């Protein structure tokens, strides 16, 4: 029996007259790896911001791990790991100190060495992160998300700044975490990886889900060849959505 | 407490910054100001008076500068996504920031007080250690008040420059530099009576107005500990004012009010309440705004 770890209903976020997330209905269950795809500016990070209570909805409801992201923030964040997008780490602090901040707050007992080992950052644990490359920062941020064996992992563009080894590491960790029993929700536009990782994907376009299902489902429903890559599917679906939007605009005239 | 790891991180951030150690060094140079009037009034306890001088001007400026970016800076850089992603309420985040920053500043500043104690010991002889400790504690509490004000502004400001402008233009200049003048002007405007600060009227409202600023309240409380007199001015001005032949622009209760006519609200302990209000009220307002808003 699966349960929803993420459930949004009519979720909407407006910034002035711009609608970043538009009447979004999204369900992610506790056993799946869900890939949240979409072109730049589609509203992926805003959606994650709403799940994380970084920002508050204009309308609609969100439930994360069965609770309210705002009112039950402590309970939810205790059971959740986040790798945000466009973050910055704390210069002057070591990887060990970064991990300690998370694990002490969560009262988790993870060994920082083991966590860094998992993300492939073994021997720099006591170095100031100011000396880190972008890929190393990304690995540390991923390790911070893994603290406390979360029930839900939210990864916003986890492949950012990673070399092919790093990309593979992320993929392996996502599978390991899922096998351990965690649900994984990740956004990406690195489409080649998506098919290798995700049980199910949703394509977000202008704040709305325009297609959802397994990659095979999408391949069938989209106007593409049977051996089309995820990229081709993605382009086909989002282009179609654009055309549909334009037609709707024409129709209003 | 759930926010104590965050507070530890904040304390480390500040204590490792060059700024706080620069402040600690400058504080020693700024505060060591021997004076005849001070020696005359306090003897060797003038060393405790130096600590009070440390708390006027330079220390508030330094504390505000070390704290105004604490929240808005993290929002701008994106690191706020990590701390808001922790199992903490927004109020707990602000508490961790305030407590941690206060500790991170109080440590290095305490070192400069130790240095002042050493210099005082050598130059003026043995002072009353409890009295010295008393002024140090009042000053450390004052640091907490100023951090709370600056973090509150930082939590409300949308941009770093706004926060900088606000701590300087809304807190530092009016309340910490020009308050005695501003309060006198306010009093004259409201009552229609001009005030000559060298010969002030025995007016409770005028005197209380003077001590409503954080610096005024800090001086009242530290003067109380030093035992020099009831005033929102520094101890040396108070000692000068209380000499029969000298008149200064310091408002000193004992120099103006007849014994037995002093309003109860001018008691020095009210200074503690004023400091408490500066600690709690801006934080309470900021908490509401910070808890309701979008952070990225």
């Amino acid at each position: 029996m699966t349960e929803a770890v993420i459930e949004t209903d009519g979720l909407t976020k407006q910034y002035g007259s711009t609608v970043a997330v538009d009447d979004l209905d999204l369900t992610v269950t506790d056993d799946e790896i869900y890939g949240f795809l979409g072109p730049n500016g589609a509203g992926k990070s805003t959606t994650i911001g709403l799940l994380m209570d970084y920002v508050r909805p204009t309308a609609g409801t969100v439930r994360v791990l069965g609770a309210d992201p705002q009112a039950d923030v402590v309970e939810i964040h205790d059971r959740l790991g986040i790798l945000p997008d466009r973050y910055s780490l704390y210069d002057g602090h070591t990887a060990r100190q970064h991990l300690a901040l998370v694990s002490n707050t969560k009262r988790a007992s993870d060994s920082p060495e083991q966590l860094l080992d998992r993300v492939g950052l073994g021997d720099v644990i006591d170095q100031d992160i100011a000396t880190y490359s972008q890929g190393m920062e990304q690995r540390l941020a991923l390790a911070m998300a893994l603290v406390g064996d979360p029930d839900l992992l939210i990864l916003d563009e986890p492949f950012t700044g990673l070399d092919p080894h790093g990309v593979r590491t992320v993929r392996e960790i996502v599978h390991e975490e899922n096998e351990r029993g965690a649900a994984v929700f990740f956004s990406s536009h690195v489409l080649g990886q998506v098919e290798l990782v995700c049980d199910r994907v949703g394509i977000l376009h202008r704040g709305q889900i325009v297609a959802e299902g397994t990659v095979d489902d999408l391949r069938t429903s989209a106007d593409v060849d049977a051996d089309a890559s995820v990229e081709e599917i993605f382009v086909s679906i989002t282009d179609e959505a654009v055309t549909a939007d334009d037609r709707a605009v024409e129709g209003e005239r | 407490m759930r926010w104590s790891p965050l507070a530890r991180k904040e304390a480390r951030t500040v204590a490792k910054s060059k700024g706080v150690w620069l402040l600690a060094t400058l504080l020693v140079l700024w505060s060591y100001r021997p004076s005849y009037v001070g020696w005359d009034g306090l003897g060797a306890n003038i060393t405790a008076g130096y600590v009070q001088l440390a708390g006027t001007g330079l220390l508030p400026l330094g504390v505000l500068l070390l704290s105004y970016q604490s929240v808005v800076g993290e929002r701008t850089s994106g690191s706020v996504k990590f701390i808001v992603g922790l199992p903490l309420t927004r109020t707990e985040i602000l508490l961790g920031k305030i407590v941690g920053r206060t500790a991170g500043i109080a440590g290095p500043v305490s070192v400069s007080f130790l240095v002042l104690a050493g210099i005082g010991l050598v130059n003026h002889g043995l002072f009353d250690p409890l009295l010295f400790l008393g002024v140090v504690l009042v000053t450390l509490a004052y640091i907490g008040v100023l951090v709370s004000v600056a973090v509150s502004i930082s939590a409300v400001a949308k941009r770093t420059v706004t926060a900088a402008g606000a701590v300087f233009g809304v807190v530092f200049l009016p309340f910490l530099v020009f308050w005695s003048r501003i309060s006198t002007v306010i009093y004259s405007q409201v009552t229609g009576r001009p005030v000559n600060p060298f010969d002030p009227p025995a007016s409770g409202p005028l005197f209380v107005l003077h001590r409503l600023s954080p610096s005024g309240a800090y001086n009242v409380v530290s003067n109380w500990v030093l035992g020099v007199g009831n005033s929102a001015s520094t101890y040396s001005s108070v000692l000068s004012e209380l000499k029969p032949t000298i008149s200064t622009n310091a408002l000193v209760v004992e120099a103006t009010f007849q014994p037995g006519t002093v309003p109860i609200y001018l008691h020095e302990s009210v200074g503690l309440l004023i400091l408490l209000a500066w600690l709690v009220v801006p934080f309470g307002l900021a908490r509401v705004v910070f808890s309701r808003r979008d952070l990225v």
Side-chain angles (χ1 to χ4, degrees), chain B residues 132-265:
Chain B
F132 182 85
L133 190 67
V135 183
V136 167
L137 288 179
V138 173
T139 308
L140 296 182
Y142 184 42
I143 291 176
V145 170
L146 294 166
V147 169
S148 172
V149 171
V151 169
S152 300
I153 287 174
S154 194
V156 171
K158 286 198 170 127
R159 294 165 57 200
T160 312
V161 283
T162 321
V167 290
F168 207 70
V170 181
V171 179
F172 185 68
L173 290 181
F175 285 107
L176 301 174
V177 177
F178 295 119
W179 184 249
S180 61
R181 267 180 257 180
I182 291 172
S183 58
T184 308
V185 169
I186 293 173
Y187 179 80
S188 312
Q189 291 295 327
V190 172
T191 62
R193 278 184 284 174
V195 175
N196 173 8
F198 289 89
D199 184 20
S203 157
L206 174 66
F207 274 66
V208 87
L209 205 54
H210 256 243
R211 53 190 63 188
L212 282 185
S213 72
S215 58
Y218 165 71
N219 283 341
V220 167
V221 176
S222 51
N223 284 333
W224 189 24
V225 177
L226 286 167
V228 291
N230 183 348
S231 170
S233 298
T234 55
Y235 82 94
S236 48
S237 310
V238 177
L239 289 172
S240 304
E241 176 71 22
L242 287 173
K243 287 192 178 291
T245 53
I246 304 178
S247 182
T248 72
N249 62 356
L251 301 192
V252 181
V253 169
E254 290 86 342
T256 305
F257 288 82
Q258 296 299 319
T261 65
V262 183
I264 184 78
Y265 54 80

Side-chain angles (χ1 to χ4, degrees), chain A residues 136-157:
Chain A
M136 291 163 82
E137 290 196 356
Q138 186 73 358
R139 285 168 192 259
L140 172 55
L142 176 62
M144 289 165 74
L146 298 177
V147 168
D149 292 338
D151 297 330
L152 170 62
L153 260 182
I154 296 182
L155 312 175
D156 198 354
E157 301 288 355

Side-chain angles (χ1 to χ4, degrees), chain B residues 6 13 16-17 25 47 50 56 61 67-68 77 89 103 106 126 128 137 139 144 149 168 172 186 218 230-231 258 294:
Chain B
L6 174 63
T13 303
K16 284 179 83 170
S17 71
T25 311
T47 304
Y50 297 153
T56 52
L61 180 63
S67 308
Y68 79 91
S77 75
T89 64
L126 197 61
D128 178 351
L137 288 179
T139 308
V149 171
F168 207 70
F172 185 68
I186 293 173
Y218 165 71
N230 183 348
S231 170
Q258 296 299 319
D294 290 351

